[in-house]
Amino acid sequence: METYITTDELATRIHYDARTIRTRLKDAVLLEGVHYIRPFGGRKLLFIWEAIQRDIGKFSAGRAPMGNAAIGGGIPMASGGVVHG
């Protein structure tokens, strides 16, 4: 069973401002039909908590340093490379 929560409830759970969720996260990382729905085709948004929990760390996990840098063997660069001192 899915848990539907409002924008304000989501803001409290993930410690973001509700306006930030509506303007920056919605449709950029939170996708309609995956992370939220519009009940009865209206304007109100209901977020699917389980989908958000599942996906909340995926972006960060995909950007984690690889190889020796992950264990302190180098300095990660913005381009994704590693500098070995």
Side-chain angles (χ1 to χ4, degrees):
M1 181 170 179
E2 295 177 332
T3 305
Y4 297 107
I5 59 176
T6 64
T7 306
D8 289 331
E9 291 170 326
L10 179 61
T12 299
R13 290 186 186 198
I14 66 171
H15 306 286
Y16 272 79
D17 187 78
R19 188 173 2 153
T20 301
I21 293 170
R22 285 189 299 270
T23 60
R24 298 194 65 202
L25 300 179
K26 184 181 78 62
D27 298 326
V29 293
L30 300 175
L31 307 174
E32 186 169 2
V34 176
H35 300 106
Y36 72 92
I37 61 169
R38 296 176 188 268
F40 311 109
R43 293 183 59 196
K44 183 174 185 74
L45 302 176
L46 289 179
F47 292 89
I48 305 166
W49 177 239
E50 290 79 8
I52 293 170
Q53 278 185 306
R54 178 192 68 225
D55 295 344
I56 198 164
K58 282 187 178 179
F59 180 75
S60 294
R63 297 187 60 195
M66 303 297 271
N68 291 336
I71 56 172
I75 300 169
M77 302 298 290
S79 64
V82 178
V83 172
H84 299 280

